[in-house]
Amino acid sequence: MNQLTQTELENLRKMIGEHGMIANKLESYAQEAMDPELKSILQRDAQAARQAQQQLLPFLQ
């Protein structure tokens, strides 16, 4: 596997952090949601953001 440039590493770290932030916000919105369908959508999207974050982490190694 090719080495990532410093810029690519910085961008990757930023993307990983942003996915985490998005997941946290969506989880918070889901807790406040009254509509069960909206709550479910927010929870599903939060989980997808966490999964994307986890999939990106190995590229830092």
Side-chain angles (χ1 to χ4, degrees), residues 8-20 60:
E8 291 169 330
L9 280 173
E10 290 172 13
N11 289 337
L12 182 57
R13 286 186 186 105
K14 183 178 177 185
M15 285 181 7
I16 290 169
E18 289 171 347
H19 276 87
L60 289 179

